[in-house]
Amino acid sequence: MHLENLTYGIVGLGIMGGSFAKSIRENILSQNGAKGRILACNRSTACLHQAVSEGVVDEIFTSDRVSELVCRCDVLFICLYPHATLEFLKNNREKFKSGAVITDISGVKGIFEKALPEILRSDVDFIIGHPMAGGEKEGYAASNAKFFINHNYLLIPQEYNKPENLELMRLLISEMGFTRITETTCDIHDYKIGFTSQLCHVIASALVQSAPDEQITAFGGGSFEDLTRIAMINANLWTELFISNKEKLVDHIDNFINEMETMKSLIQSEDSQGMQDYLNEVRLKRIKMGSIRSIQK
């Protein structure tokens, strides 16, 4: 299938759904002779009308008309919270277009690996995915096609995925600007994302909450701002992500607390040499982490 001739569906036209729509429009459907279309569905309608007026999407559907969208889509992005994504799949099981490729953007994957085999029809392929891109703000107004450029996309192939559909997703992801495609398992995804994303949000939130007063930031020099940018958080989404990945996330929190206790002990005991050794080890480890990321790019 040629990407420029496919019908794309976006369910949930927020920051990520909007960015997918804009990226597909700019990078794929702007080609001469392109016959593809973008259909979008969202609970609130203001963003739908904005997307149409901007020429980003071709047709819009309210939630009560979503069945009219899903039956026409060759590729469908479900940009909802994890459990809402599963509910959407259950509720629309018989309505998906035969041969459709469906994917998600959820920050936890274990729940999909367990539930998908019982939900999906054999003629519909669900490819588990996670774009590692976006911004801290919410809503379609914050979406941007440029979010995806030079970023990483995680794919979690399953035994039931058809090779040609996986290849289609890889091509589509690349055309949208992602330069790294990392293929992994649901278990590894949840373990590593639990550390690199969820734990970071936990720490940022706890750091903000630990402030003795709001005026303390008048003495900020940038460190607090850098560490807590992600604390401006979507409470509903991150609560679901934290709890859905609780076993792995709690393990990471325990490890972090152990390291905090180590540093606390070194400070309390005024162990200058021990602290210097600890911080030098931290510095070298962080440099190695940066080198690994550069190699992966």
Side-chain angles (χ1 to χ4, degrees):
M1 291 189 286
H2 296 287
L3 295 179
E4 67 273 15
N5 295 328
L6 299 179
T7 296
Y8 298 90
I10 312 287
V11 176
L13 199 65
I15 182 172
M16 291 306 297
S19 297
F20 278 125
K22 290 177 180 179
S23 182
I24 292 169
R25 176 65 63 192
E26 288 186 19
N27 297 306
I28 297 170
L29 300 186
S30 61
Q31 301 178 31
N32 291 331
K35 298 177 182 178
R37 296 176 67 78
I38 300 176
L39 317 182
C41 174
N42 199 69
R43 185 168 51 188
S44 61
T45 59
C47 64
L48 294 176
H49 294 300
Q50 182 180 348
V52 169
S53 67
E54 293 174 348
V56 174
V57 304
D58 298 293
E59 294 182 56
I60 57 177
F61 301 80
T62 52
S63 298
D64 58 332
R65 296 179 53 219
V66 69
S67 62
E68 299 175 40
L69 178 150
V70 298
C71 67
R72 294 169 55 189
C73 295
D74 300 301
V75 178
L76 180 64
F77 289 90
I78 305 178
C79 302
L80 304 174
Y81 293 0
H83 288 92
T85 297
L86 286 176
E87 284 302 308
F88 184 87
L89 292 171
K90 292 176 184 176
N91 294 339
N92 293 279
R93 184 181 187 277
E94 302 304 325
K95 301 166 188 173
F96 296 118
K97 181 178 180 179
S98 182
V101 174
I102 306 172
T103 192
D104 73 307
I105 64 166
S106 300
V108 289
K109 299 304 181 189
I111 62 173
F112 290 94
E113 188 172 45
K114 297 172 184 175
L116 285 176
E118 298 180 4
I119 296 175
L120 294 177
R121 296 183 352 228
S122 60
D123 62 331
V124 172
D125 213 357
F126 190 98
I127 298 178
I128 303 173
H130 188 185
M132 301 305 295
E136 64 270 16
K137 295 183 180 180
E138 300 174 36
Y140 174 80
S143 63
N144 192 329
K146 302 296 189 293
F147 279 152
F148 302 150
I149 296 175
N150 296 325
H151 278 266
N152 188 22
Y153 204 107
L154 306 180
L155 282 182
I156 300 93
Q158 302 296 298
E159 291 182 357
Y160 56 77
N161 289 142
K162 297 178 175 60
E164 61 270 24
N165 290 336
L166 286 170
E167 193 55 39
L168 175 72
M169 277 299 299
R170 295 185 190 105
L171 178 60
L172 175 57
I173 291 164
S174 299
E175 289 294 322
M176 286 193 290
F178 291 94
T179 50
R180 286 187 295 149
I181 300 175
T182 302
E183 299 191 9
T184 185
T185 66
C186 290
D187 191 63
I188 291 174
H189 170 280
D190 288 356
Y191 177 78
K192 292 191 175 184
I193 291 299
F195 180 82
T196 60
S197 178
Q198 293 164 9
L199 177 63
C200 296
H201 284 76
V202 167
I203 294 169
S205 300
L207 179 57
V208 170
Q209 198 67 358
S210 73
D213 60 77
E214 295 175 5
Q215 286 71 38
I216 197 170
T217 55
F219 288 76
S223 296
F224 177 83
E225 291 76 11
D226 290 343
L227 280 169
T228 58
R229 174 186 59 82
I230 57 174
M232 293 181 284
I233 201 165
N234 179 330
N236 292 336
L237 171 61
W238 284 95
T239 296
E240 183 171 337
L241 293 175
F242 292 160
I243 293 174
S244 295
N245 199 30
K246 65 178 182 179
E247 288 85 4
K248 293 178 174 61
L249 179 56
V250 167
D251 283 345
H252 289 311
I253 292 173
D254 285 340
N255 291 337
F256 180 77
I257 290 172
N258 289 338
E259 294 303 322
M260 291 294 289
E261 288 293 341
T262 296
M263 295 191 73
K264 178 181 175 181
S265 176
L266 291 169
I267 293 168
Q268 283 183 324
S269 63
E270 300 183 15
D271 184 353
S272 297
Q273 187 59 55
M275 179 59 79
Q276 289 179 39
D277 291 343
Y278 185 94
L279 294 178
N280 281 326
E281 182 180 340
V282 168
R283 181 176 182 275
L284 291 173
K285 187 172 183 178
R286 180 61 181 86
I287 290 171
K288 289 179 181 178
M289 288 175 170
S291 300
I292 291 171
R293 183 176 176 87
S294 297
I295 291 170
Q296 288 177 335
K297 286 183 179 180

